[in-house]
Amino acid sequence: MATEPVIYEPGKAREAFRAVTRDVAWVAEAPKPHKAWLGALGVSMLMLAIGVYSIFVLLTTGIGVWGNSNTVGWAWDITNFVWWIGIGHAGTLISAVLYLTRQSWRVSINRAAEAMTIFAVMCAGLFPLLHTGRPWFAWWMLPHPNDMDMWPQFRSPLMWDVFAVSTYMTTSILFWYMGLVPDLATFRDRCAARGEKLKAIIYGALSLGWRGSARNWHRYERAYLILAGLATPLVFSVHSVVSFDFATSQLPGWHTTIFPPYFVAGAIFSGFAMVLTLLLPLRHLFNLKHIIKEEHIEAMCKILLATGMMVGLAYATEFFIAWYSGNLYEKFAFVNRAFGPFWWAYFAMVSCNVLIPQAFWFKMVRRNVVLIFILCIFVNIGMWFERFVIIATSLARSFLPATWSYFTPTIYDIGLFIGTLGLFGTLFLLFFRYVPVIAMSEVKGAMPEAHAGGPSKGGHH
Amino acid sequence: MLGDGALYGVLAEYDTPGELIEAARKVRDAGYTEFDCFSPFPVHGIDEAMGIKRTILPLLIFGGGFAGLLGGILLQWWTNAYNWPWNIAGKPEWSIPANVPIAFETTILLSVLTAFFGMWMLNKLPQVWHPFFRLERFGRVTDDAFLLGIEARDRRFDSVATTQLLKDAGAIAVENCHLDPDPASRTMPGWITAFIVSSTAFALIPFAIAAKARNSHSSEPHIHVFPDMDFQPKYKADAASDLFPDGRANRGQLAETVARGSLNADDTFYRGIEGGKWTEGFPKQLEISEQLVRRGQIRYNIYCAPCHGYDGRGSGPVPQRVAAGGGAWDARNLVQAGGPVVKMPNGQLFNTISNGYNTMMGYAHQIPPADRWAIVLYTRALQRSQNAAVDDVPQEELGRMPMPQMQTPAAPAGAGSAAPAAPTGSAPAAPATPAPAPAAGSAAQPENK
């Protein structure tokens, strides 16, 4: 994308930059929050309260309050863990992979997508933690000298998970915060100019005294580039490691080498659907349509279409291999998936993940935000079912027919899931109101005006 | 308010990023070194114009990443292969592939931490004050302003000439910046420093306690922060309980009662007694068959052979171990011709298995009655086989035996004269078994291997 040489008029470039600052800062500076925002926050906090109560019952009673059984030992807890962490991956993909591939349209959505990553990983982390039954002993998973002389078993994929997810969480937070600093400095300066001292001090402390120095920018950009380079393999490793939890087991339906790429494609797919689900209403609510443009949404729809078909290919490959391997148990596992007692989940998964996204072939659909929003909701549901189908149907019908069982969630399973949706919603809505919701400095840097005034440097980007 | 202290420098504003680059180049060409540009976003091309050297940050990050890789591998090797080797399903204790994921994650983690903290460190941030923040104009640098500041400490700095240079470079405004006269404004406020120092000290306290605990001995019990796994709400055998008048958690058997299925009224089957004496035969509910002998052999080999030996001569692995340790102890020889066990009635043998004898414990709680009878039967067969003569072998089997070694099969048992007597010694088995010799012989064969 070559930048057009800009005709130089005094003050014109600065006017454009000011407009970006004003429009983004307005979201946080509007004296009264939007009614829809307040309503959504209320609903989210109510859901969060349901989740807190579910956790309270879980901790005071025990894992028995869930529907998990000896046969289906991993159920909604791990389903939700994989689902949430997959959602998180789109944020890293947008901020890191699209940065490395110089997709400048990412600047309008990367901040919100990264925030989504952090909140999704927070929700995800809750599940394995609570699944241990005694979360107050979770620190036993970290290697530390202890009077039992025991070390973690590092050859277990569950330990890999601990390291991968905590590294991912740390990286996501640092990457996000680093990107925030220049924009927090913008908020600091605006608050100071308006005389709001307390806010200026808070934003000032958070922005670490940033002053936009070219010498600082130089190192900042280096660090940003390298962090993006580090986050890219990291994001692929995290969901691969999550898939190892299944793939390294002996269970038919889990024990396949296709899992890492299959899980990563699914993660990107669900994550982009979640980004759109969040941003479409908020963009409308907070008048950000000229920053989060239709082209950006269309690009995301194309990614949805591509990753949706990758996921569909994975489903087909699984069936092909089940047939081609000639393995009785493998064959049974997959026939059971589609036609067994959980057939309805499989049907929901295929229609939401493979059939429905085919609508994105049409430009008419990719330009219709209402339709996109509805389709993305379906993708979110479909991806949840994918995780559920993989986990529950495989466990419910394993090698020994005597142990076969069915999984039915209890209200505490449902309550905790609703609770994480509430936690996610609450955090995201608070983020939208109090933190620079769009990476202003990056948007400004990607504008044609950023190259104004000097000797024409067209083509440099 | 402004202009109170010494002159810190001058700040010029430019209209566009391009003009800022041009101005920066001119300032640098004029020989200034203590100057900086300020912009709302990284202006591309300004590094070269200002003559900024490439940062060493990537090198630091490489170092951090390498340390992470090494640390990750070392951590896994030391904990799982060296300090406490773990055998997981017989796999090698140290195998790189299984340790790749964590080594990869630690590499990334340390690289990321180095990138993040290294960047701020090299940028000398966070910094709570800067003289330029005193200028209102500087507040717009995070919005739309492109500024160039030259510090007064630059040796080429001259208030008039420098200002003129900046104006010639196209500045739309140039203003002087003075330091705050109060030196305290140029340092970290005392309470922040105090907070950082004290919170760091507090954060170290748990580690100090842990370090002290690891290097000292104590007879005090553990501190149980979460007692639920150490003290479970349940009664163990013979514990006290307030719930019952006798203060015991155990509920004994009630008088005049028998537990369901525990009547055991059949004296012969359960106790080996018939008409007040040890029974000579077998209980009537048992069908004496080769199958039962084989069952008895399996049970014998599990429960009896460790002491009495597979051949019943009383020198199984346990006595052998005693001998290896320099001691001398043999279990009872069960098959000694004319010995006490050979003479024992079946009922007494059953009773010995059930309730023990001398140092031998009873096996009633481990072996069900029918299996104990099977062992009795097998012991009889063993006695027969260990004391057998060539004549006991059926004609058709005789041809299949390696004859040269078979002149005196009973010789190791001791007295050759005892051989013919053996069958009579275990007479009770005979009536129940029409043809005991082949059955006993074939049953005893496998254990000879």
Side-chain angles (χ1 to χ4, degrees), chain B residues 348-405:
Chain B
Q348 194 184 355
L349 189 48
F350 177 84
N351 181 64
T352 307
I353 296 172
S354 306
N355 300 318
Y357 186 79
N358 281 350
T359 55
M360 169 181 163
M361 63 161 186
Y363 281 83
H365 64 289
Q366 266 175 298
I367 314 175
D371 279 349
R372 272 177 263 151
W373 281 115
I375 291 172
V376 171
L377 179 62
Y378 177 69
T379 309
R380 291 303 179 211
L382 206 55
Q383 287 166 349
R384 185 76 186 269
S385 73
Q386 292 300 307
N387 297 306
V390 178
D391 302 343
D392 293 329
V393 181
Q395 278 303 315
E396 65 269 27
E397 297 286 328
L398 211 53
R400 289 168 49 194
M401 298 182 81
M403 286 311 287
Q405 286 86 16

Side-chain angles (χ1 to χ4, degrees), chain A residues 8 86 117 140 151 216 254 446:
Chain A
Y8 172 53
T117 295
W140 285 6
W151 296 108
N216 288 357
W254 287 8

Side-chain angles (χ1 to χ4, degrees), chain A residues 8 11 14 18 21 134 136 151-155 186 189 212-215 217-219 222 234 237 444 452, chain B residues 13 15 18-19 35-39 47 54-55 79-80 83 86 92 105 123 139 142-144 222 226 228:
Chain A
Y8 172 53
R14 287 164 61 199
R18 245 196 321 273
T21 316
R134 289 189 168 84
W136 45 92
W151 296 108
Q153 209 276 82
F154 286 117
R155 280 167 288 176
T186 305
D189 292 341
S213 143
R215 297 177 197 277
W217 275 124
H218 168 71
R219 299 189 188 96
R222 275 272 130 187
L234 177 65
S237 85
K444 288 173 193 168
Chain B
E13 179 169 359
D15 190 39
E19 288 172 350
F35 72 103
D36 204 348
C37 295
F38 306 93
S39 56
D47 303 354
R54 274 176 79 103
T55 171
T79 55
N80 278 192
N83 181 249
W86 269 34
E105 302 300 342
N123 278 344
T142 54
D143 181 8
D144 65 340
H222 281 172
F226 297 104
D228 57 339

Side-chain angles (χ1 to χ4, degrees), chain A residues 376-391:
Chain A
C376 284
I377 298 270
F378 274 114
V379 172
N380 287 324
I381 294 170
M383 280 310 294
W384 188 90
F385 272 110
E386 183 195 298
R387 278 62 165 105
F388 178 75
V389 162
I390 290 171
I391 293 168

Side-chain angles (χ1 to χ4, degrees), chain A residues 223-271:
Chain A
Y224 200 93
L225 178 71
I226 292 169
L227 277 180
L230 290 168
T232 303
L234 177 65
V235 72
F236 289 109
S237 85
V238 171
H239 228 57
S240 298
V241 165
V242 168
S243 80
F244 290 155
D245 292 347
F246 305 95
T248 58
S249 78
Q250 303 285 319
L251 193 70
W254 287 8
H255 185 66
T256 58
T257 49
I258 197 181
F259 262 28
Y262 167 23
F263 269 51
V264 171
I268 296 164
F269 183 53
S270 63

Side-chain angles (χ1 to χ4, degrees), chain A residues 21 32 35 55 72 146 162 164 166 172 211 228 255 271 295 323 328 352 358 373 388 404-405 407 419 425 428 434 440:
Chain A
T21 316
K32 274 192 179 170
K35 275 200 187 96
I55 292 175
V72 188
N146 58 77
V162 172
S166 44
S172 302
R211 37 180 206 278
H255 185 66
E295 298 95 86
W323 166 76
L328 176 74
C352 291
Q358 300 305 320
F373 182 75
F388 178 75
W404 286 4
S405 168
F407 177 79
F428 198 82
Y434 295 107
M440 291 179 278

